[in-house]
Coordinates of all heavy atoms in Angstrom, one line a residue:
M1 N 161.0 171.8 50.9 CA 161.6 171.4 49.7 C 161.8 169.9 49.6 O 162.2 169.3 50.6 CB 163.0 172.1 49.5 CG 163.7 171.8 48.2 SD 165.2 172.7 47.9 CE 166.3 172.0 49.1
A2 N 161.6 169.3 48.5 CA 161.8 167.9 48.3 C 162.9 167.7 47.3 O 162.9 168.4 46.2 CB 160.5 167.3 47.8
L3 N 163.7 166.7 47.5 CA 164.8 166.4 46.6 C 164.5 165.1 45.9 O 164.1 164.1 46.6 CB 166.1 166.2 47.4 CG 166.7 167.5 48.1 CD1 167.9 167.1 48.9 CD2 167.0 168.5 47.1
Y4 N 164.7 165.1 44.6 CA 164.4 163.9 43.8 C 165.7 163.6 43.0 O 166.4 164.5 42.5 CB 163.3 164.1 42.8 CG 161.9 164.1 43.5 CD1 161.5 165.3 44.0 CD2 161.2 163.0 43.6 CE1 160.2 165.3 44.7 CE2 160.0 163.0 44.3 CZ 159.5 164.2 44.8 OH 158.3 164.2 45.5
V5 N 166.0 162.3 42.8 CA 167.1 161.9 42.0 C 166.6 161.7 40.6 O 165.6 161.0 40.4 CB 167.7 160.5 42.5 CG1 168.8 160.1 41.6 CG2 168.2 160.7 43.9
D6 N 167.2 162.4 39.6 CA 166.8 162.3 38.2 C 167.8 161.4 37.5 O 168.7 161.8 36.9 CB 166.8 163.7 37.6 CG 166.2 163.8 36.3 OD1 165.2 163.0 36.0 OD2 166.6 164.6 35.4
S7 N 167.5 160.1 37.6 CA 168.3 159.0 37.1 C 167.6 157.7 37.0 O 166.6 157.5 37.6 CB 169.5 158.8 38.1 OG 170.4 157.8 37.6
A8 N 168.1 156.8 36.1 CA 167.6 155.5 36.0 C 168.7 154.5 36.4 O 168.4 153.3 36.2 CB 167.0 155.2 34.6
Y9 N 169.8 154.9 36.8 CA 170.9 154.1 37.1 C 170.9 153.7 38.6 O 171.1 154.6 39.4 CB 172.3 154.7 36.7 CG 173.4 153.8 36.8 CD1 173.5 152.6 36.0 CD2 174.5 154.1 37.6 CE1 174.6 151.7 36.1 CE2 175.6 153.2 37.7 CZ 175.6 152.0 37.0 OH 176.7 151.2 37.0
L10 N 170.5 152.5 38.9 CA 170.2 152.1 40.2 C 171.4 152.3 41.2 O 171.2 152.8 42.3 CB 169.8 150.6 40.3 CG 169.3 150.1 41.6 CD1 168.0 150.9 42.0 CD2 168.9 148.6 41.4
E11 N 172.6 152.1 40.8 CA 173.7 152.3 41.7 C 173.8 153.8 42.1 O 174.1 154.1 43.3 CB 175.0 151.9 41.0 CG 176.2 151.9 41.9 CD 177.5 151.4 41.2 OE1 177.4 150.4 40.4 OE2 178.6 152.0 41.5
D12 N 173.6 154.7 41.2 CA 173.7 156.2 41.5 C 172.5 156.5 42.4 O 172.7 157.3 43.3 CB 173.6 157.0 40.2 CG 174.9 157.0 39.4 OD1 175.9 156.5 39.9 OD2 174.8 157.4 38.2
I13 N 171.4 155.9 42.2 CA 170.2 156.3 43.0 C 170.4 155.8 44.4 O 170.2 156.6 45.4 CB 168.9 155.6 42.4 CG1 168.6 156.2 41.0 CG2 167.8 155.7 43.3 CD1 167.6 155.4 40.2
T14 N 170.9 154.6 44.6 CA 171.1 154.1 46.0 C 172.2 154.9 46.7 O 172.1 155.1 47.9 CB 171.4 152.6 46.0 OG1 172.5 152.3 45.1 CG2 170.2 151.8 45.6
T15 N 173.2 155.3 46.0 CA 174.3 156.2 46.6 C 173.7 157.5 47.0 O 174.0 157.9 48.1 CB 175.4 156.4 45.5 OG1 176.0 155.1 45.2 CG2 176.5 157.3 46.1
A16 N 172.9 158.1 46.2 CA 172.3 159.4 46.6 C 171.3 159.2 47.8 O 171.3 160.1 48.7 CB 171.5 159.9 45.4
V17 N 170.6 158.1 47.8 CA 169.6 157.9 48.9 C 170.4 157.8 50.2 O 169.9 158.2 51.3 CB 168.7 156.7 48.6 CG1 168.0 156.2 49.9 CG2 167.8 157.0 47.5
Q18 N 171.6 157.2 50.2 CA 172.4 157.0 51.4 C 173.0 158.3 51.8 O 173.3 158.5 53.0 CB 173.5 155.9 51.1 CG 172.9 154.5 51.0 CD 173.9 153.5 50.5 OE1 175.1 153.9 50.2 NE2 173.5 152.3 50.3
A19 N 173.2 159.2 50.9 CA 173.9 160.5 51.2 C 173.0 161.6 51.6 O 173.5 162.6 52.3 CB 174.7 160.9 50.0
A20 N 171.7 161.6 51.2 CA 170.9 162.7 51.5 C 169.4 162.3 51.6 O 169.1 161.2 51.2 CB 170.9 163.7 50.3
P21 N 168.6 163.1 52.3 CA 167.2 162.7 52.4 C 166.4 162.9 51.1 O 166.0 164.0 50.8 CB 166.7 163.7 53.5 CG 167.6 164.9 53.4 CD 168.9 164.3 52.9
I22 N 166.3 161.9 50.3 CA 165.7 161.9 49.0 C 164.2 161.6 49.1 O 163.8 160.6 49.8 CB 166.4 160.9 48.0 CG1 167.9 161.2 47.9 CG2 165.8 160.9 46.7 CD1 168.3 162.5 47.3
S23 N 163.4 162.4 48.4 CA 162.0 162.2 48.4 C 161.5 161.2 47.4 O 160.4 160.6 47.4 CB 161.2 163.5 48.2 OG 161.5 164.4 49.2
G24 N 162.3 160.9 46.4 CA 161.9 160.0 45.3 C 162.9 160.0 44.1 O 163.9 160.6 44.2
V25 N 162.4 159.4 43.0 CA 163.2 159.3 41.8 C 162.3 159.7 40.6 O 161.1 159.4 40.6 CB 163.6 157.8 41.6 CG1 164.4 157.7 40.3 CG2 164.5 157.4 42.8
T26 N 162.9 160.4 39.7 CA 162.3 160.7 38.4 C 163.1 160.1 37.3 O 164.4 160.2 37.4 CB 162.1 162.2 38.2 OG1 163.4 162.8 38.1 CG2 161.3 162.9 39.3
M27 N 162.5 159.5 36.3 CA 163.2 159.0 35.2 C 162.4 159.0 33.9 O 161.2 159.0 34.0 CB 163.7 157.6 35.5 CG 162.7 156.5 35.7 SD 163.5 155.0 36.1 CE 162.4 154.4 37.4
N28 N 163.1 159.1 32.8 CA 162.5 159.2 31.5 C 163.2 158.3 30.5 O 164.3 157.7 30.9 CB 162.5 160.6 31.0 CG 163.8 161.2 30.9 OD1 164.8 160.6 30.4 ND2 164.0 162.5 31.4
P29 N 162.8 158.1 29.3 CA 163.4 157.2 28.4 C 164.9 157.5 28.1 O 165.7 156.6 28.0 CB 162.6 157.4 27.1 CG 161.2 157.7 27.6 CD 161.5 158.6 28.8
S30 N 165.3 158.8 28.1 CA 166.7 159.2 27.9 C 167.5 158.7 29.0 O 168.7 158.2 28.8 CB 166.8 160.7 27.7 OG 166.1 161.1 26.6
L31 N 167.0 158.8 30.3 CA 167.8 158.3 31.4 C 167.8 156.8 31.5 O 168.9 156.3 31.9 CB 167.1 158.9 32.7 CG 167.2 160.4 32.9 CD1 166.4 160.8 34.1 CD2 168.6 160.9 33.0
L32 N 166.8 156.2 31.0 CA 166.8 154.7 30.9 C 167.9 154.2 29.9 O 168.6 153.3 30.2 CB 165.4 154.1 30.6 CG 164.4 154.2 31.7 CD1 163.0 154.1 31.1 CD2 164.7 153.2 32.8
L33 N 168.0 154.9 28.8 CA 169.0 154.6 27.8 C 170.4 154.8 28.3 O 171.3 154.0 28.1 CB 168.7 155.4 26.5 CG 169.7 155.2 25.4 CD1 169.8 153.8 24.9 CD2 169.4 156.2 24.2
A34 N 170.6 156.0 29.0 CA 171.9 156.3 29.6 C 172.3 155.2 30.6 O 173.5 154.8 30.6 CB 171.9 157.6 30.2
A35 N 171.4 154.7 31.4 CA 171.7 153.7 32.4 C 172.0 152.4 31.7 O 173.0 151.7 32.1 CB 170.5 153.4 33.3
Y36 N 171.3 152.1 30.6 CA 171.6 150.9 29.8 C 173.0 151.0 29.2 O 173.8 150.0 29.2 CB 170.6 150.7 28.7 CG 170.9 149.5 27.8 CD1 170.6 148.2 28.2 CD2 171.4 149.8 26.5 CE1 170.9 147.2 27.3 CE2 171.7 148.7 25.6 CZ 171.4 147.4 26.0 OH 171.7 146.4 25.2
E37 N 173.3 152.2 28.7 CA 174.7 152.4 28.1 C 175.8 152.4 29.1 O 176.9 152.1 28.8 CB 174.7 153.7 27.3 CG 173.9 153.7 26.0 CD 173.7 155.0 25.4 OE1 174.0 156.1 26.0 OE2 173.3 155.0 24.2
H38 N 175.4 152.6 30.4 CA 176.4 152.6 31.5 C 176.6 151.1 32.0 O 177.3 150.9 32.9 CB 175.8 153.5 32.6 CG 176.9 153.9 33.6 ND1 177.9 154.7 33.4 CD2 177.0 153.5 34.9 CE1 178.6 154.9 34.5 NE2 178.1 154.1 35.4
G39 N 175.8 150.2 31.4 CA 176.0 148.8 31.8 C 174.9 148.2 32.6 O 174.9 147.0 32.9
Q40 N 173.8 148.9 32.9 CA 172.7 148.4 33.6 C 171.8 147.6 32.7 O 171.4 148.1 31.6 CB 171.9 149.5 34.3 CG 170.7 149.0 35.1 CD 170.1 150.2 35.9 OE1 170.7 150.5 36.9 NE2 169.1 150.8 35.4
I41 N 171.5 146.3 33.0 CA 170.8 145.4 32.1 C 169.3 145.3 32.5 O 168.6 144.5 31.9 CB 171.5 144.1 32.0 CG1 171.6 143.4 33.4 CG2 172.8 144.2 31.4 CD1 172.1 142.0 33.4
L42 N 168.9 146.0 33.5 CA 167.5 145.8 34.0 C 166.5 146.5 33.0 O 166.8 147.6 32.6 CB 167.3 146.5 35.3 CG 168.0 145.8 36.5 CD1 167.8 146.7 37.7 CD2 167.3 144.5 36.8
E43 N 165.5 145.8 32.6 CA 164.4 146.4 31.8 C 163.7 147.4 32.7 O 163.7 147.3 33.9 CB 163.5 145.3 31.3 CG 164.1 144.3 30.3 CD 164.5 145.0 29.0 OE1 163.7 145.9 28.5 OE2 165.5 144.7 28.4
P44 N 163.0 148.3 32.1 CA 162.3 149.4 32.9 C 161.4 148.8 34.0 O 161.4 149.3 35.1 CB 161.5 150.2 31.9 CG 162.3 150.0 30.6 CD 162.9 148.6 30.7
L45 N 160.6 147.8 33.7 CA 159.7 147.2 34.7 C 160.4 146.6 35.8 O 160.1 146.7 37.0 CB 158.7 146.2 34.0 CG 157.6 145.7 35.0 CD1 156.8 146.8 35.6 CD2 156.7 144.8 34.2
A46 N 161.5 145.8 35.5 CA 162.3 145.2 36.5 C 163.0 146.2 37.4 O 163.1 146.1 38.6 CB 163.3 144.3 35.9
L47 N 163.5 147.3 36.8 CA 164.1 148.4 37.5 C 163.1 149.1 38.4 O 163.4 149.3 39.6 CB 164.6 149.5 36.5 CG 165.2 150.8 37.1 CD1 166.4 150.5 38.0 CD2 165.6 151.7 36.0
L48 N 161.9 149.3 38.0 CA 160.8 149.9 38.8 C 160.5 149.0 40.0 O 160.4 149.4 41.1 CB 159.6 150.1 38.0 CG 158.4 150.7 38.7 CD1 158.7 152.0 39.3 CD2 157.2 150.8 37.7
Q49 N 160.4 147.7 39.8 CA 160.2 146.7 40.8 C 161.3 146.7 41.9 O 161.1 146.7 43.1 CB 160.0 145.3 40.3 CG 158.7 145.2 39.5 CD 158.5 143.8 38.8 OE1 159.5 143.2 38.4 NE2 157.3 143.4 38.6
K50 N 162.5 146.8 41.4 CA 163.7 146.8 42.3 C 163.7 148.1 43.1 O 163.9 148.0 44.3 CB 165.0 146.7 41.5 CG 166.2 146.5 42.2 CD 166.6 145.1 42.0 CE 168.0 144.9 42.6 NZ 168.0 143.7 43.4
M51 N 163.3 149.2 42.5 CA 163.3 150.5 43.3 C 162.2 150.4 44.3 O 162.4 150.9 45.4 CB 163.0 151.6 42.3 CG 164.2 152.0 41.5 SD 163.8 153.5 40.5 CE 165.1 153.6 39.5
L52 N 161.0 149.9 44.0 CA 159.9 149.8 44.9 C 160.3 148.9 46.1 O 159.9 149.1 47.2 CB 158.7 149.2 44.2 CG 158.0 150.2 43.3 CD1 156.9 149.4 42.5 CD2 157.4 151.4 44.0
E53 N 161.1 147.9 45.9 CA 161.6 147.0 47.0 C 162.6 147.7 47.9 O 162.7 147.5 49.1 CB 162.2 145.7 46.4 CG 161.3 144.8 45.7 CD 161.9 143.7 44.9 OE1 163.2 143.6 45.0 OE2 161.2 143.0 44.2
E54 N 163.5 148.5 47.3 CA 164.7 149.0 48.0 C 164.6 150.4 48.5 O 165.3 150.8 49.3 CB 165.9 148.8 47.1 CG 166.3 147.4 46.8 CD 167.5 147.3 46.0 OE1 168.3 148.3 45.9 OE2 167.8 146.2 45.5
L55 N 163.7 151.2 47.9 CA 163.6 152.6 48.2 C 162.3 153.1 48.7 O 161.3 152.5 48.4 CB 163.9 153.5 46.9 CG 165.2 153.1 46.1 CD1 165.1 153.9 44.8 CD2 166.4 153.5 46.9
A56 N 162.3 154.1 49.6 CA 161.1 154.7 50.1 C 160.9 156.0 49.2 O 161.9 156.6 48.8 CB 161.2 155.0 51.5
G57 N 159.7 156.4 49.0 CA 159.5 157.7 48.3 C 158.7 157.4 47.0 O 158.4 156.3 46.7
T58 N 158.5 158.5 46.3 CA 157.8 158.5 45.1 C 158.7 158.2 43.9 O 159.8 158.7 43.9 CB 157.1 159.9 44.9 OG1 156.3 160.2 46.1 CG2 156.2 159.9 43.7
I59 N 158.2 157.4 43.0 CA 158.9 157.1 41.8 C 158.1 157.6 40.6 O 157.0 157.1 40.4 CB 159.2 155.6 41.7 CG1 160.1 155.2 42.9 CG2 160.0 155.3 40.4 CD1 160.2 153.7 43.0
F60 N 158.7 158.5 39.8 CA 158.0 158.9 38.6 C 158.8 158.3 37.4 O 160.0 158.4 37.3 CB 158.1 160.4 38.4 CG 157.4 161.2 39.5 CD1 158.1 161.6 40.6 CD2 156.0 161.5 39.4 CE1 157.4 162.3 41.6 CE2 155.4 162.2 40.4 CZ 156.0 162.6 41.5
I61 N 158.0 157.6 36.5 CA 158.6 157.0 35.3 C 157.8 157.4 34.1 O 156.6 157.3 34.1 CB 158.8 155.5 35.4 CG1 159.5 154.9 34.2 CG2 157.5 154.8 35.7 CD1 159.9 153.5 34.4
Q62 N 158.5 158.0 33.1 CA 157.8 158.4 31.9 C 157.8 157.3 30.8 O 158.9 156.7 30.6 CB 158.6 159.6 31.3 CG 157.9 160.3 30.1 CD 158.8 161.5 29.7 OE1 160.0 161.6 29.9 NE2 158.1 162.4 29.0
P63 N 156.7 157.0 30.2 CA 156.6 156.0 29.2 C 157.6 156.3 28.0 O 157.8 157.5 27.7 CB 155.2 155.9 28.7 CG 154.4 156.7 29.7 CD 155.4 157.6 30.4
G64 N 158.1 155.3 27.3 CA 158.9 155.5 26.2 C 158.2 155.4 24.9 O 158.8 155.8 23.8
A65 N 157.0 154.9 24.9 CA 156.2 154.8 23.7 C 155.9 156.1 23.1 O 155.9 157.2 23.8 CB 154.9 154.0 24.0
T66 N 155.6 156.1 21.8 CA 155.3 157.4 21.1 C 153.8 157.5 20.7 O 153.3 158.6 20.4 CB 156.1 157.6 19.9 OG1 156.0 156.5 19.0 CG2 157.6 157.7 20.3
E67 N 153.1 156.4 20.6 CA 151.7 156.4 20.3 C 150.8 156.4 21.6 O 151.2 155.8 22.5 CB 151.3 155.2 19.4 CG 152.1 155.2 18.1 CD 151.8 156.3 17.2 OE1 150.6 156.8 17.1 OE2 152.7 156.8 16.5
E68 N 149.7 157.1 21.5 CA 148.8 157.3 22.7 C 148.4 156.0 23.3 O 148.6 155.8 24.6 CB 147.6 158.1 22.3 CG 146.7 158.3 23.5 CD 145.4 159.1 23.1 OE1 145.3 159.6 21.9 OE2 144.5 159.2 23.9
E69 N 147.9 155.0 22.6 CA 147.5 153.8 23.2 C 148.7 153.0 23.8 O 148.6 152.4 24.9 CB 146.8 152.9 22.1 CG 146.3 151.6 22.7 CD 145.3 151.7 23.8 OE1 144.5 152.7 23.9 OE2 145.2 150.7 24.6
A70 N 149.8 153.0 23.1 CA 151.0 152.3 23.6 C 151.5 153.0 24.9 O 151.9 152.3 25.8 CB 152.1 152.3 22.6
M71 N 151.4 154.3 25.0 CA 151.8 155.0 26.2 C 150.9 154.6 27.3 O 151.3 154.4 28.5 CB 151.8 156.5 26.0 CG 152.9 157.1 25.2 SD 153.0 158.9 25.2 CE 151.9 159.3 23.9
Y72 N 149.6 154.6 27.0 CA 148.6 154.2 28.1 C 148.9 152.8 28.6 O 148.9 152.5 29.8 CB 147.2 154.3 27.5 CG 146.2 153.8 28.4 CD1 145.7 154.5 29.5 CD2 145.6 152.5 28.3 CE1 144.8 154.1 30.4 CE2 144.7 152.0 29.2 CZ 144.2 152.8 30.2 OH 143.3 152.3 31.1
Q73 N 149.1 151.8 27.6 CA 149.4 150.4 28.0 C 150.7 150.3 28.8 O 150.8 149.6 29.8 CB 149.5 149.5 26.8 CG 148.2 149.4 26.1 CD 147.1 148.8 26.9 OE1 147.3 147.9 27.8 NE2 145.9 149.3 26.8
E74 N 151.7 151.1 28.4 CA 153.0 151.1 29.2 C 152.8 151.6 30.6 O 153.3 151.1 31.6 CB 154.0 151.9 28.4 CG 155.4 151.7 28.9 CD 156.4 152.4 28.1 OE1 156.1 152.7 26.9 OE2 157.5 152.7 28.6
G75 N 152.0 152.7 30.7 CA 151.7 153.3 32.0 C 151.0 152.3 32.9 O 151.2 152.2 34.1
M76 N 150.0 151.6 32.3 CA 149.2 150.7 33.1 C 150.1 149.5 33.5 O 149.9 149.0 34.6 CB 148.0 150.2 32.3 CG 147.0 151.2 32.0 SD 146.4 152.0 33.5 CE 145.5 150.7 34.3
K77 N 151.1 149.1 32.7 CA 152.0 148.0 33.1 C 152.8 148.4 34.3 O 153.0 147.6 35.2 CB 152.9 147.7 31.9 CG 153.8 146.6 32.1 CD 154.6 146.1 30.9 CE 155.4 147.3 30.3 NZ 156.3 146.9 29.2
Y78 N 153.3 149.7 34.3 CA 154.1 150.2 35.4 C 153.2 150.3 36.7 O 153.6 150.0 37.7 CB 154.7 151.6 35.1 CG 155.7 151.6 34.0 CD1 155.9 152.7 33.3 CD2 156.5 150.5 33.8 CE1 156.8 152.7 32.3 CE2 157.5 150.5 32.8 CZ 157.6 151.6 32.0 OH 158.6 151.7 31.0

């Protein structure tokens, strides 16, 4: 069994990683918005870069765009 943190709030993610053997992180536009509303000011790409620097494991991030080409471009940027 693999455990993933379903969050975009970096403080919660690092706390979870310290507490349990986490396999990675999953996040989507709603979670990114919730993290922003919680006071996190990192843009999605900066958040992703920070996670790659600080965490081991797989990171899943869902594009927030609604049009096919924009989703593709966002995915390529990540």
Side-chain angles (χ1 to χ4, degrees):
M1 179 175 73
L3 296 175
Y4 289 86
V5 177
D6 192 29
S7 177
Y9 190 59
L10 191 56
E11 187 176 323
D12 288 348
I13 295 167
T14 54
T15 300
V17 167
Q18 293 169 358
I22 302 297
S23 297
V25 177
T26 63
M27 62 183 138
N28 60 44
S30 296
L31 294 172
L32 289 164
L33 178 60
Y36 176 78
E37 290 172 345
H38 196 73
Q40 182 169 278
I41 58 172
L42 293 170
E43 293 293 324
L45 186 57
L47 174 62
L48 180 59
Q49 289 172 332
K50 192 105 171 130
M51 285 185 191
L52 289 169
E53 293 169 5
E54 296 182 13
L55 307 172
T58 305
I59 300 171
F60 297 95
I61 183 169
Q62 184 180 26
T66 57
E67 299 296 322
E68 182 179 351
E69 181 61 28
M71 283 189 278
Y72 175 78
Q73 292 301 324
E74 194 174 338
M76 294 304 294
K77 181 172 65 173
Y78 293 151

